[in-house]
Amino acid sequence: MVFISPGVKFDLDLIKKYDTAAPRYTSYPPATELSEAFTTADFHSAIAASNQRQSPLSFYFHIPFCQSACYFCGCNTVISNNKNIAKPYLEHLAQEIKNMSNLISPDRKVLQMHWGGGTPNYLDLEQVEFLWKKITQHFDFDPQAEISIEISPRYVDKEYIFFLRELGFNRVSFGIQDFNNEVQVAVNRIQPEELLFNVMDWIKAAKFDSVNVDLIYGLPYQTLQTFRETIKKTVALDPDRIVVFNFAYVPWLKPAQKNIPPEALPKPQEKLEILEMTIEELTNSEYLFIGMDHFAKPNDELAIAQRNRTLQRNFQGYTTHAGTDLFGFGATSISMLNDAYVQNHKQLKDYYQAVANHVLPVSKGIKLTQDDIIRRDVIMCIMSHFQLYKQDIAEKYHINFDQYFSQELEALQPLAADGLIKLSAHHIQITDIGRLLVRNIAVVFDAHNQKQDKQFSRAI
């Protein structure tokens, strides 16, 4: 496997040159292309086609509630200390599960499930068990299914962790963001170091198969030295996966970010130095750089999936099973079928009304064209495997790759000259430094990007 090694030259000038806005390509076409012209009838047709393919299933359940706002957050959340707000949501979620089970073939097994948010552990143990039973009552899970949940360390105890494991969750993820107290105060997410180590101890004692932690670089009051301490403490936690997100400061889109003083953000040069240090420290600590912002131990499923070329991306980031159809449940969640993406209503009242009327809670979506599907395959190979064999695409879609993508191959020449990729007659290989800028490579194949002026986060 190719990964960024400590000896690789980290060219700050080159990274600055390519530090432009681009989609994260958790899907192609990106979610910005979803349209309200897509109807519930379109979704019914997509589900029927999905049943014909008999693809395995992947589920995402969105729990939108949080007790307080984290100022850095870009997720779709509902902030409330009134826990009663969760009861009607779970009742409608249970109804949506039943409605969907009537449409999805019962012969299809669930290979993956993830609960995200928001804060899934906003739910108490009785509510967690209620939702779990509703899901497993209506769908058949593979005995080896990967079942994961995001938690906030601030709102769990040992009993909660062990209950999740006994119920059937085998993977867990939690956000650290930064160990530094000044940074935590600035982003309104105070998590003492002792708390984080206690939570990790409980998770390991409960024998979860895999633990993922999230960090964010570019937050207010971060410095190279303070984040180096965060990295060292994170390594000491010994998680299986580490995701190091680039903080996207978009207060015009996420009003909570207006609480962050822009002058407190690290300057672009220091932010790049933080990124360089992070990669160096983590790879020196024997984590593999999976790509873009993900690191994993060599024996973790992400690393294995990348070696086997079964790694792919969806709206949760990198995932280990290619070929599954993802169905999203709950407000604002997104389903990703082979030739259609569909998003549920964002507003609770709209979601509730549709579900109560036994109508699929479709807010918007997109029907993929054959060109979309071909380009998605190319972009996902680049984003997930960091290499592309032209013949694979040519044979799969009955095209002449060099003719079909003649303009794109020409546009890749400057990136090859800058050392981001290596081009050959049969192969496109992303280099070590290119893996940091993989979004800039993928965007060359994005036909939708040429006609849009939507605002995306910067690559670095």
Side-chain angles (χ1 to χ4, degrees):
M1 181 195 291
V2 178
F3 61 93
I4 289 189
S5 60
V8 170
K9 182 177 177 354
F10 194 94
D11 190 330
L12 293 178
D13 289 335
L14 185 64
I15 290 172
K16 287 178 183 177
K17 176 180 177 180
Y18 286 96
D19 184 20
T20 55
R24 292 182 60 83
Y25 292 116
T26 49
S27 71
Y28 181 81
T32 48
E33 294 301 310
L34 272 60
S35 163
E36 293 180 0
F38 190 94
T39 66
T40 55
D42 294 325
F43 195 14
H44 277 277
S45 297
I47 296 171
S50 172
N51 286 332
Q52 288 294 317
R53 290 190 304 274
Q54 285 291 297
S55 306
L57 300 172
S58 178
F59 286 166
Y60 172 72
F61 285 84
H62 189 71
I63 312 298
F65 308 112
C66 295
Q67 287 180 240
S68 62
C70 301
Y71 297 157
F72 57 80
C73 183
C75 301
N76 293 298
T77 60
V78 177
I79 310 301
S80 176
N81 270 315
N82 178 13
K83 290 295 194 75
N84 291 328
I85 197 173
K87 185 179 179 182
Y89 186 79
L90 289 176
E91 290 171 349
H92 285 85
L93 201 50
Q95 184 63 53
E96 185 188 11
I97 291 166
K98 184 178 180 181
N99 295 346
M100 288 298 293
S101 71
N102 292 328
L103 299 174
I104 298 173
S105 169
D107 298 329
R108 303 172 70 185
K109 285 190 179 292
V110 181
L111 295 188
Q112 286 181 312
M113 179 170 69
H114 180 71
W115 294 15
T119 307
N121 58 303
Y122 187 93
L123 305 179
D124 62 33
L125 295 182
E126 184 178 339
Q127 292 171 326
V128 170
E129 186 172 24
F130 169 83
L131 180 55
W132 178 276
K133 287 182 175 179
K134 290 296 180 182
I135 298 166
T136 54
Q137 173 187 343
H138 290 283
F139 295 101
D140 187 18
F141 281 70
D142 186 279
Q144 303 302 315
E146 296 179 3
I147 305 176
S148 59
I149 185 170
E150 298 170 21
I151 61 169
S152 169
R154 297 172 292 171
Y155 308 120
V156 291
D157 55 19
K158 187 175 181 178
E159 179 190 3
Y160 201 106
I161 294 295
F162 272 75
F163 182 83
L164 293 176
R165 185 69 184 98
E166 289 163 7
L167 198 59
F169 288 96
N170 51 35
R171 286 156 179 79
V172 66
S173 174
F174 65 90
I176 296 173
Q177 324 316 344
D178 196 307
F179 274 92
N180 184 271
N181 183 68
E182 185 179 21
V183 176
Q184 291 184 4
V185 170
V187 298
N188 198 38
R189 189 181 174 109
I190 299 173
Q191 301 179 146
E193 180 178 330
E194 181 181 7
L195 169 68
L196 295 170
F197 275 86
N198 283 341
V199 170
M200 182 62 91
D201 286 344
W202 300 333
I203 291 170
K204 291 184 176 180
K207 300 187 183 305
F208 279 82
D209 293 345
S210 180
V211 188
N212 173 88
V213 300
D214 296 339
L215 304 175
I216 299 179
Y217 73 97
L219 292 176
Y221 305 110
Q222 276 180 349
T223 68
L224 179 62
Q225 188 52 42
T226 63
F227 204 66
R228 187 187 300 275
E229 289 301 312
T230 283
I231 294 295
K232 289 183 180 297
K233 290 173 181 177
T234 301
V235 170
L237 277 177
D238 195 34
D240 300 282
R241 304 175 188 175
I242 303 171
V243 184
V244 189
F245 292 111
N246 166 31
F247 175 51
Y249 184 63
V250 287
W252 56 91
L253 296 177
K254 298 296 177 180
Q257 292 188 1
K258 294 177 182 177
N259 293 294
I260 296 176
E263 65 274 11
L265 299 173
K267 297 294 187 287
Q269 177 68 29
E270 183 160 33
K271 193 175 177 183
L272 288 172
E273 291 169 356
I274 289 172
L275 176 60
E276 178 181 20
M277 176 276 299
T278 298
I279 294 171
E280 181 178 346
E281 289 283 347
L282 291 180
T283 52
N284 277 337
S285 299
E286 300 184 351
Y287 284 90
L288 300 183
F289 182 45
I290 297 298
M292 200 163 78
D293 44 27
H294 282 60
F295 298 80
K297 291 182 177 180
N299 60 348
D300 185 81
E301 291 97 334
L302 277 185
I304 294 169
Q306 190 172 64
R307 286 196 290 272
N308 295 338
R309 297 178 68 194
T310 56
L311 191 69
Q312 67 175 22
R313 285 178 69 74
N314 63 22
F315 289 106
Q316 285 81 60
Y318 285 107
T319 181
T320 54
H321 285 286
T324 58
D325 280 333
L326 170 65
F327 284 88
F329 294 82
T332 202
S333 66
I334 300 178
S335 299
M336 294 178 67
L337 310 188
N338 179 63
D339 57 358
Y341 306 151
V342 190
Q343 185 166 29
N344 283 356
H345 290 297
K346 289 187 177 183
Q347 299 299 320
L348 292 184
K349 61 179 179 63
D350 298 328
Y351 170 73
Y352 289 168
Q353 182 177 0
V355 171
N357 290 330
H358 300 277
V359 175
L360 295 177
V362 174
S363 168
K364 53 187 176 179
I366 184 172
K367 171 74 172 175
L368 276 64
T369 65
Q370 182 66 7
D371 180 64
D372 288 334
I373 292 171
I374 295 171
R375 290 177 182 274
R376 176 181 64 189
D377 217 345
V378 169
I379 287 173
M380 292 307 156
C381 282
I382 290 170
M383 295 293 298
S384 299
H385 309 146
F386 305 100
Q387 57 184 334
L388 175 72
Y389 292 93
K390 297 178 183 179
Q391 194 62 24
D392 289 349
I393 301 296
E395 291 178 357
K396 185 174 181 179
Y397 297 105
H398 310 292
I399 63 171
N400 180 306
F401 188 96
D402 286 355
Q403 289 180 5
Y404 196 96
F405 292 110
S406 59
Q407 293 182 339
E408 288 80 5
L409 291 171
E410 183 66 27
L412 288 176
Q413 292 298 328
L415 282 72
D418 282 338
L420 273 63
I421 55 174
K422 292 179 180 178
L423 297 175
S424 71
H426 309 291
H427 189 225
I428 299 173
Q429 176 71 53
I430 315 303
T431 65
D432 280 355
I433 199 68
R435 292 174 80 142
L436 285 174
L437 300 161
V438 67
R439 291 158 69 181
N440 302 79
I441 301 166
V443 78
V444 172
F445 292 91
D446 184 345
H448 293 271
N449 193 66
Q450 312 307 318
K451 60 187 181 186
Q452 65 190 9
D453 58 358
K454 300 177 178 69
Q455 299 182 72
F456 296 105
S457 63
R458 299 179 74 85
I460 301 294

